Structures are given as structure tokens and as C-alpha cells.
Amino acid sequence: MQFEHDPLQFRTRRHFLGQASNGLGGIALASLLGSSSSLAADASDPLSPKTPPFAAKAKSVIYLHMAGSPPQHDLFDYKPKLVEMTGKECPAEVTKGERFAFIKGTPKLLGTPHKFSQHGESGAWLSDVLPNLAKSADDLCFVKSMHTDQFNHAPAQLLLYTGSPRQGRPSMGSWVTYGLGAENENLPGFVVLISGGTSPSAGKNAWGSGFLPSVYQGVQCRSKGDPVLYVSNPDGMDRNVRSLTIDSIGELNRLQAEQFGSPETLTRIAQYELAFRMQVSVPEVMDIAAEPKHIQEAYGAQPGEASFANNCLLARRLVEQGVRFVQLFDWGWDFHGNSVQNDIKLSLPDRCKPMDQAVAALIQDLKERGLLDETLIVWSGEFGRTPLNEERNGSKFLGRDHHPHCYTIFLAGAGIKPGTTYGATDELGYFVAENPVHVHDLQATILHQLGFDHTKLTYRFQGRDYRLTDVHGHVVDELLM
């Protein structure tokens, strides 16, 4: 028996707006599709390559995030006065009205137990726990005056990557992919790699697409096991059958897109088709065993293992193949000093060793291949650490609490001034003393190097235009060549 459908059942609000070409309906449809944004996605392929509004210095970004936030006083921000005053009570006027995550009572000052020296023609100060990065000092641009609004891990990571400490906003990599599309149609535009055995505190929100179409979210890849979860063919289904299935699903989705005009339907089509192409392309690009032995050894990489070193080598391979944004999260940098595992004297050198080797190798490898000029490298945590000894519950180990007021990051490549140190903190390393740089300023600067005015890369959602930097941020021109 056949049933006749009442055509009114398909007359949804979206259908009505899709049929209305003028007036309020047309305006609403433009809002739904985000077409009031600076760069509307190709109607047939939201990941099609796009040209940025102005000439870009960077074609891709590799963001190296030390999740938990490393102690800047023990790596980059040398404070002789703090060393001199180690063990003394912190002046009350410094901490008056301050909130800490774990410090109680009157804290004592803690200078670094590690040795510092100057390196390269730039004379950059680096700790002795970073011997490899010290050799690359003249390739790096240090920002010692970073600051944030948050002192807990998840909100600080969200603010750094989405512009808001609350969930629901698109991540930086998603904004970049939305603005630029994917250069390689067989690979995602935005790839996430995790090491340290734990995901970042902000979880997948740190690489989610928020209210942007989900095709722009980060794709998490792995250096051990299947490179991408659930992308392999199910048991009993070969590649030809999978291809026919994808084609059939795609045709059904196209019919639905024509009828209802939902941008998420176009996203589903693009995601299915990309996943099918990734079955061949991703295993190939993720196979670091194909790299020469001396390259693997330079990074400290071991094929088949899950490690930060492997992920750094993979990052180079990914940007070499046209991936726009590669995000590395390495968990294990939360040095509170409440156990031997997070003591800054006993354990920080061991934690730094593989990172120092891999990051220095990445910079040199990109440089030798002529890729550093077009690849922006950013190294950071989500906030800083205090110049105070935490001494949680009377711990005798050395450690530092969370600190939003100042921290150090470094950048390299893609039009960033090499051999530069920008900004400074006070003699105790507690507050920024000159040239403050907020996380929104960093976001604006990264987008600028990719060819965007951060105030114009927007997406209309719930009646207003949103952007990565919210209503803040300015490009730090002093970092740029």
C-alpha cells in the first residue's frame, strides 16, 4: 500500500527560508550558512582551498603545547634576584589579594636550581636543561611577557585556543581551516597529535569546531595503532564496496541538502568523502619508518611508539603535505612539587630532555627543507608558574603553583623576527614589567601571519558575528620582520 504524503510536512522553517530569495527569508538563510562572514565556504566543498585576504607569511602552523604549563623561571626567564632571595618569605605587598590554586599561608620565594647562560649572537638566556634549543637560540623569538585571565588548566586552555574560557567556541585550528580550507584534498586541514598518555584538561573542546560546521574540527591522529580511529573498513567490507557505500550516502545527502538547505548536510558529505580518501593517504603520511634513520635519530623518534618525538616528526611530514594547522599536546608539565615526579630540580631535566631534542630537530629539519620560512612554530603552555615554592601540605619537594600574570613562550619561522626577546618581567618574575602580550594578542598575531585581519575573520551565530579574539586583541608588530 502506498501512502501519499502531505507536502506541508516538508514545509519546515528551514525549507521556507531556503525557498525565499529576498527579504527576511534571504537574510535568515545567509545567517544560517554563515555567508555574512569574511569567507563563506564553497557551497559544494567547505574544505576547498581559499586565498587569504592579504599576502600571508605562513602557509601552516605547528603549535607545540606543553600541557600543564612548564615553569618559565627554570627554562627561559632568568631572575638572579629571585635566586638570591630563595627561601625568604615573599613580600606581603606582592601577593596581597592574590588567589592561588594550591598555595596557602605566606609563601617563600623560589629561585631556579638550574644554571642559566646566554646563547647565540642574540644572547638569549636559556637553562642548562635545554642544550639543544640553546643551539637554535638565534632562530627563536621569545615572548617573556605573556599573560592570561585564567589560572586553572581547562579554562586557560580554552581561552588560549577558542578565545573564551567556556565551552562552545571554535578552536584556533578550526578558524584557520574555515578561513583557508584544506590544501591537500586527501588530508584534513587540521590535525591533532597527543602524547604524555593524557589528553589536555580542556579535552576535545581544545580542537572542536564549536558553532562552525563540524567539518572544520581537528582530526586526532595517533602514532601508534590505527592512525585515525574508526576510519578503517569494517570487517567483510573491501575498498570497492566502501566506495559504493560512500557514493550512495553522498547522493542521499545531496538530495537532502537541495531540499532542506542545511549546511551540516554539506559537512557530512565532505566528511564521508574525506574519510574515504584518508584511508590511503593518512597511513602513508603517518609512517615515520619511511624517514631516513638519521632523521629519526635526530628527533629521538621510534616508529610504532606513541611519543612527543614521533609527533614532532609527524608534524613536519603533515605540513610538508599541505596540512594547515598541526596541534601537538604533550601532557606532563604540571610541576607542583608535591612528589618526586613533579619536582623542578629532580624531574624537570628528564621531562625536558625528549622535548628539547625533538623541538630543536623540528626547527632544524624545517630549516634545511626550506619550510621554516612558511611554517609558523609556536611553543607554549596555557599559563605560567609562580616564583614561589608551593610546599603543598608541607611537601619538601620543589614546585610552583599556577600563575596567570606572566609566562614565556617562543615562536619561530614564517616572518617572525629570529633572535629576539620581547617583553620582560619584574626582578622576581611575578608581574609583567614591559610590553605585555595577552593570549588574544597572540591569536591576532598568528592569524595575521596567515593572511587575516583577526577582526574580519568572523562567523555569524545567534544573531551576531563571532571571532577567535572575541572583542579583544591586537597584532604584536614588534615580533614581525
Side-chain angles (χ1 to χ4, degrees):
M1 181 180 295
Q2 294 183 336
F3 293 93
E4 292 188 5
H5 296 283
D6 183 351
L8 288 177
Q9 69 180 314
F10 295 111
R11 297 290 173 177
T12 62
R13 180 174 59 181
R14 179 173 287 138
H15 183 82
F16 166 74
L17 294 173
Q19 298 298 313
S21 59
N22 299 304
L24 180 62
I27 295 171
L29 179 60
S31 174
L32 285 172
L33 295 176
S35 59
S36 63
S37 59
S38 61
L39 288 173
D42 185 313
S44 61
D45 182 5
L47 287 174
S48 59
K50 304 174 187 68
T51 303
F54 56 86
K57 293 289 187 179
K59 290 180 62 177
S60 55
V61 176
I62 297 175
Y63 202 117
L64 308 167
H65 188 101
M66 307 300 109
S69 295
Q72 73 275 16
H73 304 89
D74 306 292
L75 301 179
F76 308 113
D77 200 13
Y78 182 45
K79 295 297 171 185
K81 186 68 174 179
L82 183 61
V83 174
E84 179 187 322
M85 296 182 67
T86 293
K88 296 183 179 180
E89 290 187 355
C90 183
E93 63 268 20
V94 174
T95 58
K96 184 179 180 180
E98 285 287 280
R99 296 171 61 207
F100 297 103
F102 297 101
I103 285 177
K104 307 292 183 185
T106 302
K108 296 182 177 65
L109 295 168
L110 175 61
T112 182
H114 302 291
K115 301 297 182 184
F116 273 70
S117 56
Q118 291 178 283
H119 297 273
E121 294 183 8
S122 62
W125 287 95
L126 281 92
S127 167
D128 59 2
V129 301
L130 302 172
N132 293 290
L133 281 171
K135 297 174 185 176
S136 298
D138 288 337
D139 292 317
L140 307 179
C141 175
F142 295 96
V143 181
K144 294 189 175 181
S145 53
M146 285 296 304
H147 64 103
T148 179
D149 304 335
Q150 302 296 320
F151 67 94
N152 284 320
H153 295 293
Q157 290 170 5
L158 286 172
L159 180 63
L160 175 61
Y161 291 111
T162 74
S164 170
R166 292 170 290 279
Q167 298 177 7
R169 300 284 186 88
S171 61
M172 191 186 308
S174 295
W175 279 111
V176 171
T177 310
Y178 162 65
L180 292 176
E183 192 173 44
N184 187 332
E185 66 174 8
N186 297 322
L187 291 171
F190 176 18
V191 171
V192 179
L193 301 166
I194 294 175
S195 56
T198 303
S199 295
S201 299
K204 295 182 179 180
N205 292 287
W207 61 88
S209 58
F211 47 70
L212 290 177
S214 56
V215 73
Y216 300 118
Q217 69 187 0
V219 175
Q220 185 179 345
C221 293
R222 306 184 304 164
S223 56
K224 184 175 183 179
D226 286 343
V228 181
L229 292 175
Y230 312 119
V231 79
S232 300
N233 290 326
D235 291 341
M237 178 179 284
D238 61 23
R239 186 161 177 80
N240 289 332
V241 174
R242 183 62 169 258
S243 177
L244 291 172
T245 303
I246 297 298
D247 289 344
S248 299
I249 293 173
E251 185 59 32
L252 291 172
N253 280 329
R254 286 185 185 89
L255 290 172
Q256 187 181 55
E258 290 173 4
Q259 189 167 19
F260 298 110
S262 170
E264 273 301 307
T265 306
L266 298 178
T267 285
R268 285 201 301 273
I269 295 170
Q271 286 174 321
Y272 275 117
E273 293 178 347
L274 175 60
F276 181 70
R277 296 192 298 270
M278 282 168 54
Q279 287 183 318
V280 173
S281 57
V282 169
E284 181 179 346
V285 75
M286 299 288 286
D287 182 16
I288 63 172
E291 291 286 330
K293 196 70 175 176
H294 73 277
I295 295 292
Q296 296 178 33
E297 291 173 352
Y299 282 83
Q302 296 180 321
E305 297 301 314
S307 71
F308 179 73
N310 282 18
N311 289 349
C312 282
L313 180 48
L314 284 171
R316 190 225 80 206
R317 289 174 63 86
L318 288 164
V319 299
E320 202 170 29
Q321 295 299 317
V323 174
R324 301 285 194 188
F325 202 99
V326 185
Q327 179 75 63
L328 275 65
F329 289 102
D330 186 46
W331 177 253
W333 294 90
D334 199 18
F335 279 84
H336 283 282
N338 58 332
S339 71
V340 67
Q341 286 78 22
N342 57 28
D343 180 285
I344 61 172
K345 181 178 181 180
L346 302 175
S347 297
L348 183 62
D350 290 338
R351 194 72 190 83
C352 284
K353 188 175 180 180
M355 180 279 294
D356 175 57
Q357 178 180 354
V359 176
L362 172 63
I363 293 167
Q364 188 61 31
D365 198 7
L366 289 169
K367 195 174 181 180
E368 291 177 354
R369 293 168 186 269
L371 292 171
L372 188 59
D373 289 342
E374 60 187 36
T375 305
L376 176 59
I377 295 176
V378 187
W379 184 101
S380 85
E382 57 264 29
F383 44 56
R385 315 298 299 199
T386 62
L388 314 170
N389 192 6
E390 184 175 308
E391 295 185 291
R392 192 191 311 181
N393 299 323
S395 173
K396 299 303 180 184
F397 296 106
L398 300 181
R400 305 183 186 277
D401 205 350
H402 306 169
H403 193 64
H405 300 311
C406 58
Y407 62 107
T408 299
I409 70 168
F410 67 77
L411 306 93
I416 298 295
K417 281 183 184 175
T420 301
T421 295
Y422 182 76
T425 55
D426 60 33
E427 63 179 4
L428 296 181
Y430 199 100
F431 293 111
V432 171
E434 59 183 59
N435 299 324
V437 179
H438 190 269
V439 293
H440 288 309
D441 302 328
L442 175 63
Q443 294 160 354
T445 304
I446 290 171
L447 292 179
H448 179 273
Q449 294 307 89
L450 289 162
F452 292 102
D453 177 342
H454 71 103
T455 67
K456 295 180 179 177
L457 181 61
T458 62
Y459 189 88
R460 195 157 189 83
F461 176 67
Q462 292 184 337
R464 79 170 178 93
D465 291 339
Y466 283 82
R467 68 187 207 222
L468 173 61
T469 50
D470 195 30
V471 295
H472 311 283
H474 71 276
V475 175
V476 187
D477 292 317
E478 293 84 354
L479 305 182
L480 311 179
M481 291 193 292

